[in-house]
PDB file of all heavy atoms in Angstrom:
ATOM      1  N   ASP A 878     -60.610-128.633  -9.110  1.00  0.00           N
ATOM      2  CA  ASP A 878     -62.000-128.498  -9.526  1.00  0.00           C
ATOM      3  C   ASP A 878     -62.362-129.439 -10.665  1.00  0.00           C
ATOM      4  O   ASP A 878     -63.476-129.424 -11.152  1.00  0.00           O
ATOM      5  CB  ASP A 878     -62.292-127.055  -9.945  1.00  0.00           C
ATOM      6  CG  ASP A 878     -61.430-126.595 -11.105  1.00  0.00           C
ATOM      7  OD1 ASP A 878     -60.621-127.395 -11.612  1.00  0.00           O
ATOM      8  OD2 ASP A 878     -61.567-125.430 -11.499  1.00  0.00           O
ATOM      9  N   GLY A 879     -61.399-130.266 -11.085  1.00  0.00           N
ATOM     10  CA  GLY A 879     -61.690-131.242 -12.117  1.00  0.00           C
ATOM     11  C   GLY A 879     -61.669-130.682 -13.519  1.00  0.00           C
ATOM     12  O   GLY A 879     -61.822-131.415 -14.482  1.00  0.00           O
ATOM     13  N   ALA A 880     -61.505-129.385 -13.672  1.00  0.00           N
ATOM     14  CA  ALA A 880     -61.529-128.789 -14.996  1.00  0.00           C
ATOM     15  C   ALA A 880     -60.338-129.254 -15.807  1.00  0.00           C
ATOM     16  O   ALA A 880     -59.214-129.255 -15.349  1.00  0.00           O
ATOM     17  CB  ALA A 880     -61.531-127.261 -14.888  1.00  0.00           C
ATOM     18  N   GLY A 881     -60.605-129.621 -17.025  1.00  0.00           N
ATOM     19  CA  GLY A 881     -59.525-130.007 -17.910  1.00  0.00           C
ATOM     20  C   GLY A 881     -58.932-131.366 -17.633  1.00  0.00           C
ATOM     21  O   GLY A 881     -57.929-131.731 -18.204  1.00  0.00           O
ATOM     22  N   ALA A 882     -59.521-132.152 -16.760  1.00  0.00           N
ATOM     23  CA  ALA A 882     -58.970-133.458 -16.437  1.00  0.00           C
ATOM     24  C   ALA A 882     -59.285-134.447 -17.538  1.00  0.00           C
ATOM     25  O   ALA A 882     -60.276-134.347 -18.251  1.00  0.00           O
ATOM     26  CB  ALA A 882     -59.531-133.947 -15.114  1.00  0.00           C
ATOM     27  N   HIS A 883     -58.410-135.458 -17.670  1.00  0.00           N
ATOM     28  CA  HIS A 883     -58.650-136.522 -18.634  1.00  0.00           C
ATOM     29  C   HIS A 883     -59.859-137.337 -18.209  1.00  0.00           C
ATOM     30  O   HIS A 883     -60.142-137.499 -17.033  1.00  0.00           O
ATOM     31  CB  HIS A 883     -57.433-137.451 -18.720  1.00  0.00           C
ATOM     32  CG  HIS A 883     -56.191-136.736 -19.130  1.00  0.00           C
ATOM     33  ND1 HIS A 883     -56.120-135.956 -20.254  1.00  0.00           N
ATOM     34  CD2 HIS A 883     -54.962-136.677 -18.551  1.00  0.00           C
ATOM     35  CE1 HIS A 883     -54.904-135.459 -20.366  1.00  0.00           C
ATOM     36  NE2 HIS A 883     -54.187-135.876 -19.344  1.00  0.00           N
ATOM     37  N   THR A 884     -60.569-137.898 -19.185  1.00  0.00           N
ATOM     38  CA  THR A 884     -61.652-138.808 -18.841  1.00  0.00           C
ATOM     39  C   THR A 884     -61.059-140.149 -18.467  1.00  0.00           C
ATOM     40  O   THR A 884     -59.998-140.544 -18.933  1.00  0.00           O
ATOM     41  CB  THR A 884     -62.596-138.988 -20.036  1.00  0.00           C
ATOM     42  OG1 THR A 884     -61.846-139.483 -21.156  1.00  0.00           O
ATOM     43  CG2 THR A 884     -63.250-137.666 -20.411  1.00  0.00           C
ATOM     44  N   ALA A 885     -61.737-140.871 -17.604  1.00  0.00           N
ATOM     45  CA  ALA A 885     -61.230-142.147 -17.135  1.00  0.00           C
ATOM     46  C   ALA A 885     -62.391-143.036 -16.751  1.00  0.00           C
ATOM     47  O   ALA A 885     -63.499-142.582 -16.496  1.00  0.00           O
ATOM     48  CB  ALA A 885     -60.317-141.957 -15.928  1.00  0.00           C
ATOM     49  N   GLU A 886     -62.126-144.316 -16.744  1.00  0.00           N
ATOM     50  CA  GLU A 886     -63.132-145.254 -16.297  1.00  0.00           C
ATOM     51  C   GLU A 886     -63.381-145.046 -14.812  1.00  0.00           C
ATOM     52  O   GLU A 886     -62.467-144.766 -14.049  1.00  0.00           O
ATOM     53  CB  GLU A 886     -62.644-146.687 -16.534  1.00  0.00           C
ATOM     54  CG  GLU A 886     -62.439-147.007 -18.005  1.00  0.00           C
ATOM     55  CD  GLU A 886     -61.884-148.399 -18.173  1.00  0.00           C
ATOM     56  OE1 GLU A 886     -61.572-149.041 -17.158  1.00  0.00           O
ATOM     57  OE2 GLU A 886     -61.769-148.836 -19.315  1.00  0.00           O
ATOM     58  N   PRO A 887     -64.618-145.173 -14.370  1.00  0.00           N
ATOM     59  CA  PRO A 887     -64.884-145.029 -12.935  1.00  0.00           C
ATOM     60  C   PRO A 887     -64.222-146.131 -12.148  1.00  0.00           C
ATOM     61  O   PRO A 887     -64.138-147.269 -12.587  1.00  0.00           O
ATOM     62  CB  PRO A 887     -66.416-145.106 -12.848  1.00  0.00           C
ATOM     63  CG  PRO A 887     -66.836-145.858 -14.082  1.00  0.00           C
ATOM     64  CD  PRO A 887     -65.832-145.498 -15.143  1.00  0.00           C
ATOM     65  N   THR A 888     -63.717-145.764 -10.964  1.00  0.00           N
ATOM     66  CA  THR A 888     -63.126-146.756 -10.082  1.00  0.00           C
ATOM     67  C   THR A 888     -64.207-147.700  -9.588  1.00  0.00           C
ATOM     68  O   THR A 888     -65.318-147.288  -9.268  1.00  0.00           O
ATOM     69  CB  THR A 888     -62.466-146.062  -8.892  1.00  0.00           C
ATOM     70  OG1 THR A 888     -61.537-145.109  -9.409  1.00  0.00           O
ATOM     71  CG2 THR A 888     -61.736-147.043  -8.007  1.00  0.00           C
ATOM     72  N   LYS A 889     -63.899-148.968  -9.507  1.00  0.00           N
ATOM     73  CA  LYS A 889     -64.868-149.974  -9.091  1.00  0.00           C
ATOM     74  C   LYS A 889     -64.951-150.014  -7.578  1.00  0.00           C
ATOM     75  O   LYS A 889     -64.197-150.712  -6.917  1.00  0.00           O
ATOM     76  CB  LYS A 889     -64.489-151.342  -9.660  1.00  0.00           C
ATOM     77  CG  LYS A 889     -64.493-151.330 -11.192  1.00  0.00           C
ATOM     78  CD  LYS A 889     -64.017-152.634 -11.768  1.00  0.00           C
ATOM     79  CE  LYS A 889     -64.018-152.568 -13.299  1.00  0.00           C
ATOM     80  NZ  LYS A 889     -63.501-153.828 -13.888  1.00  0.00           N
TER      81      LYS A 889
END
Side-chain angles (χ1 to χ4, degrees):
D878 60 2
H883 301 307
T884 58
E886 297 177 354
T888 305
K889 298 176 181 178

